[in-house]
Amino acid sequence: MPIPKYAVLVGRAVDRRFATTKSNHYEIKISAAGQSYRIAVNVQSADGSEVLYAMRDPFAHPMLAQLAALADGHHPLASAAGGLAIDFVRTEHLQPADFVALPATNPGDDNDLNDRVDGFVERAISQKDARVYAFGSSFLDPGQKDQYFNFKPAQGIHDVHMNQGNSGSFAKDDGVFQDGALLFHFPAENRWIAVFLAFQSQSFQTDNVTGHATAAPQPPVVAPPPVVTPTPPVVTPAVAASMRIVAALANSLADPEIETVTLLNASPAKVDLAGWVLADKNKNKLPLSGAIDPGAAMRITVAAPMQLSNKGGAITLIDGNGKVVDGVSYSHEQASTPGWTIVF
């Protein structure tokens, strides 16, 4: 029996909760047409195995114009070809090689599913015109409060992952044209991003009628480490790939706050920063000047109009030719304690 009440939820991201050792889901609070909803995103399998993750950035698809025209709120979908229904096998043509297995949580930044999903959600929260599109199975518990965000009634979308090719007792959820997905639309950037999730126990070879597996699951492809051939360093005036944003102080103890960003030149050549800029999540820019010696770091004081929000944000380094050299993001949690420097 396919998943019940296949639908897409459209709305603005306003809050989130990270998955923990007690919860396998990253939770997103959505505001849509005066109501609150929750999106439950699986970032760990019930058996404890890592979830498969694939991203398309930018995401291009014939259905995007139709999606963008949808009003905020909950929209039931027919599990059939020719509409908005998503099918990993038949419309997206996804394969195990397109996915990476990632842990739900892991020490460090941007190396687990909590971090990957949160990067997009934080960005969506910071842009009022951004919209989240969650495909999956809708739920509604009249009279009950949401267990994570305390709104009432408890309602939203779950099964935001592949919903075919299941094994064991989960095969009852199999169906075609009913796969879950998480899409982000950033109109100001004219950009769509798609996140696809699947479980390692699922097969990508499925029956065209039932969605049941027709072959055993294939393990995710693990690319061998690249063979690195040592070469003499090339000394150039500005080695873009060598420049990194390594730290930021977004919540200082000073009054008024003094925010800083630290750059590192990892190359053996001096890098001239004339014409370079730093930009915040709202694309406010700070012109840079001076030079950084080989292997040295430079601590830059942020000044208006650029700002580092204590609620999370992004920092981008752009060279004199307008090319993005490096970019980082940080969460509300990372910037919540005054005086602590965030290390990227």
Side-chain angles (χ1 to χ4, degrees):
M1 177 180 178
I3 62 170
K5 301 179 181 178
Y6 185 55
V8 59
L9 172 64
V10 184
R12 181 169 178 251
V14 294
D15 201 357
R16 80 275 193 264
R17 297 286 186 274
F18 286 91
T20 66
T21 55
K22 297 181 179 179
S23 172
N24 292 333
H25 295 85
Y26 176 99
E27 311 286 355
I28 309 170
K29 183 181 179 182
I30 295 293
S31 176
Q35 295 193 58
S36 294
Y37 298 84
R38 174 169 57 87
I39 304 171
V41 184
N42 284 83
V43 293
Q44 183 167 286
S45 302
D47 62 6
S49 61
E50 295 179 354
V51 171
L52 300 178
Y53 163 89
M55 177 189 67
R56 288 183 177 173
D57 178 14
F59 179 56
H61 199 285
M63 71 176 178
L64 294 185
Q66 190 177 350
L67 267 185
L70 291 178
D72 285 0
H74 169 265
H75 301 271
L77 297 178
S79 296
L84 292 177
I86 290 179
D87 190 299
F88 282 19
V89 177
R90 293 157 191 85
T91 60
E92 301 311 317
H93 306 293
L94 293 164
Q95 296 293 330
D98 298 316
F99 289 79
V100 175
L102 285 176
T105 60
N106 206 35
D109 294 326
D110 199 29
N111 59 4
D112 58 49
L113 268 180
N114 261 335
D115 290 343
R116 294 291 172 88
V117 176
D118 191 61
F120 301 127
V121 174
E122 280 282 0
R123 187 167 156 193
I125 290 174
S126 70
Q127 300 183 28
K128 291 184 178 180
D129 62 344
R131 287 296 180 268
V132 180
Y133 297 75
F135 291 77
S137 177
S138 64
F139 65 88
L140 171 63
D141 296 318
Q144 298 296 317
K145 286 185 177 181
D146 184 81
Q147 61 179 314
Y148 293 94
F149 300 107
N150 208 36
F151 59 79
K152 189 176 180 180
Q155 58 184 344
I157 292 281
H158 60 168
D159 293 329
V160 187
H161 49 67
M162 185 175 177
N163 290 305
Q164 59 182 306
N166 287 292
S167 61
S169 63
F170 294 103
K172 68 181 185 300
D173 295 330
D174 284 345
V176 296
F177 294 100
Q178 59 158 26
D179 287 328
L182 201 57
L183 273 59
F184 298 88
H185 185 205
F186 301 97
E189 305 172 26
N190 192 27
R191 195 178 197 87
W192 287 80
I193 298 171
V195 173
F196 302 109
L197 302 171
F199 300 116
Q200 296 190 51
S201 59
Q202 292 176 311
S203 173
F204 285 77
Q205 299 181 49
T206 62
D207 179 82
N208 286 330
V209 177
T210 64
H212 292 325
T214 58
Q218 301 176 38
V221 175
V222 178
V227 177
V228 179
T229 303
T231 55
V234 178
V235 179
T236 58
V239 184
S242 74
M243 294 298 299
R244 293 288 182 269
I245 303 170
V246 295
L249 178 61
N251 189 356
S252 76
L253 294 173
D255 187 15
E257 280 195 342
I258 299 176
E259 302 165 346
T260 64
V261 175
T262 302
L263 303 180
L264 173 68
N265 175 14
S267 81
K270 179 181 288 189
V271 175
D272 185 357
L273 295 179
W276 291 45
V277 298
L278 283 173
D280 61 21
K281 64 183 181 183
N282 295 319
K283 298 184 179 181
N284 297 315
K285 296 179 179 179
L286 174 69
L288 303 180
S289 61
I292 305 182
D293 290 329
M298 176 184 287
R299 191 180 188 194
I300 297 165
T301 299
V302 174
M306 183 181 177
Q307 292 182 328
L308 301 184
S309 172
N310 296 348
K311 297 181 180 180
I315 308 169
T316 306
L317 178 63
I318 304 170
D319 68 14
N321 296 317
K323 180 181 178 181
V324 174
V325 172
D326 195 19
V328 297
S329 62
Y330 61 93
S331 68
H332 171 69
E333 288 185 345
Q334 289 175 296
S336 62
T337 306
W340 283 88
T341 295
I342 303 164
V343 179
F344 301 108

